[in-house]
Amino acid sequence: MAMCSTFCPRVSTHLNSKPFSFFPVKHRFFVSIKAQASASTPKDDIPASIGFLGLGIMGSPMAQNLIKAGRDVTVWNRTKSKCEPLISLGAKYKSSPEEVAASCDVTFSMLADPESALDVACGKYGAAKGMGPGKGYVDVSTVDGETSKLICEQIRATGAHFLEAPVSGSKKPAEDGQLIFLTAGDAVLYEKVATLLDIMGKSRFYLGEVGNGAAMKLVVNMVMGSMMASFSEGLVLSEKVGLDPSVLVEVISQGAISAPMYALKGPSMVKSSYPTAFPLKHQQKDLRLALGLAESVSQPIPIAAATNELYKVAKSHGLSDQDFSAVIEALKVKLQQ
């Protein structure tokens, strides 16, 4: 979500901060926040060699930032050609996730969906086969809690540590090192990779047990997807009644409902341009996973359910690989029918 790149201050979180909850009732999530610079990880504890699996829209700039920071990075991607720009910057290459994990102290993975994340971690030549005591695996993909727990189980069975760390942020924040990490899992690994997370992001949250990071990310993206759908309805309706949608964007940007996402995406949406920062198919995937999460605790989320249907319509019209703001086209199609 690119709106975080400009408006969020750098926040570092500590395990020894006092946990708090926004709700007085029994809760599942514990967030430790400390709004000051963290004590740096002792130099001897910083991983000497880093693996990075998955070099798509997000993974490539994240790995690039590690390389630019002088880290020893080894990369892998299903399509080897995507590794070439990073190799030219100094990255090493291995032909399988297993080989990357075996050669590195800590391995990061950024995959498109739960199925890919599970296969890369636990498949025939998966990273788990190259893990062992003293190593760590950090999955920054957006997956459901159950998938994250399955990967965790396989990684920990090797004696290695596991951290889920999905990110809030899209292409531009990834390029600028302005991502927000939502981590959960082994605290010792969280502390070990803190310096690396700070290279790639502007803030990090430690949320406790594995599954909490995945849940937080799904809730965030559920809200984001619903916000974009509502914004799209406003733009389409304003034009339909004879208003200038560009003026609507300006009005919203100066009011209480102002959001960086609207200011960033609105002008291009008015021009029917949707340069991909966060693919629409991934937004719909996250909505689907959020619906599954809600179902698991019997929580109704009717707005998200309706929003999911709209993104499915957009996908059916061939918009899967465009930015998620292209969901507005589904509304235009429905109005034309």
Side-chain angles (χ1 to χ4, degrees), residues 262-294:
Y262 296 154
L264 178 69
K265 302 288 186 180
S268 60
M269 292 171 70
V270 170
K271 298 176 183 177
S272 299
S273 175
Y274 316 105
T276 305
F278 180 46
L280 186 144
K281 62 185 178 184
H282 292 170
Q283 174 63 80
Q284 192 275 317
K285 177 261 296 182
D286 292 347
L287 283 164
R288 172 175 57 82
L289 295 177
L291 288 167
L293 177 65

Side-chain angles (χ1 to χ4, degrees), residues 65-280:
N65 283 334
L66 291 172
I67 296 168
K68 288 180 177 179
R71 305 302 177 182
D72 181 1
V73 179
T74 300
V75 298
W76 170 88
N77 193 76
R78 282 196 176 98
T79 305
K80 185 183 177 181
S81 60
K82 290 188 176 182
C83 298
E84 298 299 336
L86 297 175
I87 293 172
S88 69
L89 292 175
K92 301 171 185 174
Y93 170 78
K94 295 291 183 181
S95 61
S96 72
E98 177 182 359
E99 292 180 22
V100 172
S103 66
C104 295
D105 297 324
V106 169
T107 300
F108 288 84
S109 62
M110 171 57 94
L111 290 310
D113 52 52
E115 294 76 19
S116 298
L118 188 61
D119 182 55
V120 167
C122 309
K124 186 176 181 181
Y125 300 105
K129 296 187 182 302
M131 302 300 293
K135 293 180 178 291
Y137 190 80
V138 184
D139 191 353
V140 296
S141 314
T142 298
V143 301
D144 57 287
E146 289 306 309
T147 297
S148 194
K149 290 173 184 176
L150 283 173
I151 295 173
C152 175
E153 181 180 346
Q154 293 294 316
I155 297 299
R156 284 178 174 170
T158 71
H161 291 115
F162 176 79
L163 190 73
E164 63 176 359
V167 299
S168 181
S170 57
K171 182 180 179 181
K172 188 63 165 58
E175 292 172 345
D176 295 342
Q178 292 290 297
L179 296 169
I180 300 169
F181 287 92
L182 308 173
T183 75
D186 291 321
V188 64
L189 182 55
Y190 172 75
E191 294 288 2
K192 187 174 184 179
V193 301
T195 300
L196 304 178
L197 299 182
D198 289 345
I199 290 171
M200 297 182 285
K202 65 179 178 180
S203 59
R204 45 186 164 86
F205 294 80
Y206 181 79
L207 304 171
E209 297 180 357
V210 171
N212 288 352
M216 182 67 80
K217 177 59 189 294
L218 293 179
V219 172
V220 168
N221 277 19
M222 177 195 75
V223 173
M224 182 176 74
S226 299
M227 286 174 63
M228 180 56 73
S230 180
F231 184 55
S232 297
E233 288 183 333
L235 291 175
V236 171
L237 179 58
S238 67
E239 186 171 18
K240 195 74 171 180
V241 299
L243 299 174
D244 184 344
S246 295
V247 176
L248 174 65
V249 174
E250 291 186 31
V251 171
I252 289 176
S253 71
Q254 296 183 36
I257 61 170
S258 174
M261 181 177 74
Y262 296 154
L264 178 69
K265 302 288 186 180
S268 60
M269 292 171 70
V270 170
K271 298 176 183 177
S272 299
S273 175
Y274 316 105
T276 305
F278 180 46
L280 186 144

Side-chain angles (χ1 to χ4, degrees), residues 17-83:
S17 302
K18 184 179 179 181
F20 72 90
S21 171
F22 293 106
F23 304 100
V25 296
K26 185 177 180 181
H27 50 278
R28 296 179 62 193
F29 307 115
F30 296 86
V31 185
S32 298
I33 304 176
K34 196 167 185 178
Q36 64 182 48
S38 64
S40 59
T41 303
K43 191 171 182 180
D44 291 343
D45 292 339
I46 298 174
S49 54
I50 306 160
F52 211 104
L53 311 173
L55 301 173
I57 289 176
M58 298 294 290
S60 183
M62 291 171 72
Q64 186 169 316
N65 283 334
L66 291 172
I67 296 168
K68 288 180 177 179
R71 305 302 177 182
D72 181 1
V73 179
T74 300
V75 298
W76 170 88
N77 193 76
R78 282 196 176 98
T79 305
K80 185 183 177 181
S81 60
K82 290 188 176 182
C83 298

